[in-house]
Amino acid sequence: MLVFLLSTGECDLRCSYCGGSFSPRVVPHRVEYSISDLRRFLDGCNDLTIAFYGGEPLLNSRFIMEVMNTIHADRYVIQTNGLNVRRLPPECWRMFSAVLLSIDGVREVTDAYRGRGVYDAVLRSARWLREVGFSGDLIARMTVSEMSDVHRDVMHLLTLNVFDHVHWQLDVVWSDRWADFDGWAMRSYLPGIRRLVAWWLREMHAGRVPGIVPFLGVVKAALSEGQESPPCGAGRTSIAVSPDGRVLACPIAVMEEWAHLGDIRNSHVQGHIDAISIGEPCTSCDAFRFCGGRCLYAYKERLWGEEGFAKVCAITKTFIEEVLSALPEIEGLLNEGRISREEVLYPPFNNSTEIIP
Ligand code: SF4
Ligand code: SF4
């Protein structure tokens, strides 16, 4: 089970696709339940991954330390904007299995989306984490939007030799700022995916497996029993706890009725497994085995309407086809022992990368 703990609704950035802090009336800026409430809620949970989330989770680093010092989890994960890593001591960082740092690609793009100086600050933080002994999976978590060139930006982050993996999400949940989504998808995104797949495959022929999470996640689904639905596990094998103690199906669905599953003070984590599932049109879709219905929030809310949902599906299907076109060669390389299953079958556990962009 993956349990997101929102340590605060506050954030010290105001990224263009997000808008910054939640109102404290919606997501309080301090945790309002007790550690003993949390311990009872999680008691006996097998295979537990705790992922700290916000707002910006490190703005309430005291809560993170308290949880890590008192509640056993099989793994700890954090998604952070990377500006406040020194708020946790090195011994805490060494306990994390995965750290996801938000960075969107080259400096101009990251700073345009997130604010001036953010790119340099995140890279300083990434290097500091390694210096203090963090040895887990360091993941660059990108948001891909209109200024992004997915080929340039993913290649840039991978070739910095700082991150183990790069993951991206398309800015298509809330954003209404796109001037020309269709044109961007046709002229930039999908050609960029094709070039990335070609490079990725060439690298694998040379015995290296570049850590491109969406590609690896689709290949893993193809080589196993298929994609979990939704791939992030929201409402099935993943839940979130708001600072006020509400249990949510998805960490960003803080106001939506469908996502409100209960309260940690009077429920148990196991009682929320398989609470919500994705249905039609996904379950009859020919891409479902690899796509898993993509994002539960987008599926439920459809903020771009049916037409917008279909547009995102169209590029998702093309993305999946491009990755699957590499599958026969990847299987050959695996059989020859040129690349290892361990590297290809990623992620090894639900580390909060949502797989399908
Ligand atoms: S491509 Fe669209 S319809 Fe098909 S499974 Fe994914 S989200 Fe659902
Ligand atoms: S992918 Fe969608 S449903 Fe899953 S955690 Fe992210 S926003 Fe929520």
Side-chain angles (χ1 to χ4, degrees), residues 36-63:
S36 54
D37 289 331
L38 182 63
R39 188 180 293 113
R40 191 203 55 75
F41 177 71
L42 296 174
D43 185 42
C45 180
N46 285 328
D47 200 20
L48 173 64
T49 300
I50 290 180
F52 297 103
Y53 195 89
E56 166 45 47
L58 290 169
L59 294 184
N60 190 1
S61 54
R62 187 180 301 212
F63 172 76

Side-chain angles (χ1 to χ4, degrees), residues 102-232:
S102 299
I103 184 167
D104 299 326
V106 296
R107 183 183 283 110
E108 307 85 87
V109 169
T110 299
D111 286 3
Y113 293 162
R114 295 184 184 270
R116 242 170 81 192
V118 170
Y119 172 91
D120 289 326
V122 173
L123 287 187
R124 272 197 303 276
S125 296
R127 294 188 173 112
W128 181 82
L129 288 173
R130 290 305 195 203
E131 278 163 32
V132 300
F134 167 67
S135 59
D137 190 2
L138 193 57
I139 304 168
R141 192 177 192 289
M142 305 165 62
T143 300
V144 165
S145 195
E146 205 159 21
M147 281 178 68
S148 307
D149 173 331
V150 72
H151 176 263
R152 174 197 61 197
D153 292 322
V154 171
M155 292 288 288
H156 173 76
L157 293 175
L158 281 173
T159 51
L160 288 172
N161 290 323
V162 171
F163 298 104
D164 301 301
H165 291 92
V166 174
H167 178 55
W168 69 91
Q169 277 287 284
L170 292 171
D171 176 23
V172 294
V173 174
W174 300 284
S175 186
D176 55 3
R177 296 169 303 101
W178 288 88
D180 180 16
F181 178 74
D182 299 347
W184 173 84
M186 289 305 145
R187 285 191 295 274
S188 174
Y189 184 66
L190 292 174
I193 294 294
R194 258 170 232 127
R195 288 175 67 198
L196 263 183
V197 169
W199 172 78
W200 189 59
L201 201 48
R202 282 199 301 277
E203 286 293 297
M204 283 192 268
H205 276 281
R208 298 181 288 270
V209 182
I212 304 179
V213 176
F215 293 1
L216 292 168
V218 169
V219 168
K220 183 182 179 188
L223 296 178
S224 60
E225 65 281 6
Q227 198 70 264
E228 184 176 359
S229 172
C232 61

